[in-house]
Amino acid sequence: GENVEQHPSTLSVQEGDSAVIKCTYSDSASNYFPWYKQELGKGPQLIIDIRSNVGEKKDQRIAVTLNKTAKHFSLHITETQPEDSAVYFCAVDSGGGADGLTFGKGTHLIIQP
Amino acid sequence: DGGITQSPKYLFRKEGQNVTLSCEQNLNHDAMYWYRQDPGQGLRLIYYSQIVNDFQKGDIAEGYSVSREKKESFPLTVTSAQKNPTAFYLCASSATGGNGYTFGSGTRLTVV
């Protein structure tokens, strides 16, 4: 089955700096790569996603890049703000989503004032 | 507004007791999922259902059971066979052919 590795597990950055979280996956047939943000005591919320036919996607301060050859994708957050503090999960869909997304173990992003 | 509703938000279970977590969606999604979340473990798939009256085991189905009698509802029962049920449980749904998941707000289950 699919194996998803997410790094780092904790990331602390100064407010206004950029944050980068990286995930690697094992199944070269994987075709969909979403990122979720989870605030304390809440369910994850989809913040951005990318499909395998695209190399980069941007939405205001967040962007995702995909390297299919190396089988990794990254979340980039620029000009970080206190409300960006949360746990971020990457996920991979290996084929039609029949058995659910496979998630990374999460990154706790801490924005230092 | 469309969404997924999980209830209760907090649930306490005594040893040897079965408890049922509710998940209802009004998004007209065909697929529904149950995940368990433990600290440092990410999200692990318990059960999923693609259509009414059909469901499959995920990675950690032992000690859990589900039903899918209606498209809108996918309740999860945590049985007494689940020896370590204390966790945060998340329900999600997605449209057929779509990959994006919508999550509920979760149920925190604690054994007392």
Side-chain angles (χ1 to χ4, degrees):
Chain A
E2 179 68 87
N3 183 42
V4 179
E5 298 284 340
Q6 182 173 346
H7 298 282
S9 57
T10 303
L11 177 60
S12 181
V13 301
Q14 290 293 126
E15 181 178 350
D17 289 349
S18 295
V20 181
I21 304 169
K22 182 176 177 178
C23 284
T24 60
Y25 59 98
S26 58
D27 188 350
S28 57
S30 297
N31 56 21
Y32 176 68
F33 309 89
W35 285 92
Y36 290 85
K37 175 183 180 182
Q38 186 178 26
E39 297 177 345
L40 192 62
K42 298 183 179 180
Q45 298 289 315
L46 177 69
I47 57 171
I48 196 166
D49 56 11
I50 193 168
R51 297 189 184 274
S52 57
N53 58 346
V54 176
E56 183 175 358
K57 184 177 179 180
K58 189 174 182 180
D59 182 4
Q60 299 182 334
R61 294 187 299 108
I62 61 173
V64 55
T65 58
L66 172 65
N67 184 327
K68 287 188 63 180
T69 302
K71 289 188 283 187
H72 68 71
F73 58 111
S74 299
L75 176 71
H76 304 255
I77 305 174
T78 59
E79 302 173 12
T80 53
Q81 300 170 4
E83 55 264 37
D84 295 329
S85 293
V87 178
Y88 291 81
F89 291 96
C90 65
V92 175
D93 185 343
S94 294
D99 61 345
L101 296 169
T102 302
F103 287 85
K105 291 189 175 183
T107 296
H108 185 194
L109 177 62
I110 302 166
I111 308 301
Q112 302 279 6
Chain B
D1 289 335
I4 296 185
T5 301
Q6 287 188 242
S7 62
K9 189 172 180 65
Y10 299 97
L11 186 58
F12 298 91
R13 193 194 91 166
K14 295 181 180 179
E15 295 284 348
Q17 188 179 47
N18 293 354
V19 292
T20 298
L21 284 59
S22 171
C23 179
E24 303 277 336
Q25 55 100 358
N26 60 4
L27 299 165
N28 199 33
H29 284 171
D30 290 305
M32 297 186 74
Y33 309 84
W34 274 105
Y35 288 90
R36 170 176 171 146
Q37 186 174 28
D38 296 282
Q41 294 291 323
L43 300 171
R44 293 184 291 169
L45 183 64
I46 305 173
Y47 268 98
Y48 65 99
S49 168
Q50 295 289 305
I51 57 173
V52 174
N53 293 323
D54 188 45
F55 48 83
Q56 284 78 41
K57 294 181 179 179
D59 301 320
I60 55 165
E62 185 175 354
Y64 300 97
S65 66
V66 293
S67 63
R68 187 84 187 277
E69 298 177 0
K70 299 186 301 182
K71 186 176 183 178
E72 301 80 16
S73 180
F74 191 40
L76 173 75
T77 297
V78 184
T79 74
S80 57
Q82 172 50 242
K83 298 307 179 186
N84 184 25
T86 295
F88 191 52
Y89 291 87
L90 287 161
C91 180
S93 71
S94 69
T96 301
N99 303 109
Y101 285 23
T102 301
F103 281 90
S105 57
T107 292
R108 185 165 299 281
L109 173 63
T110 304
V111 174
V112 297

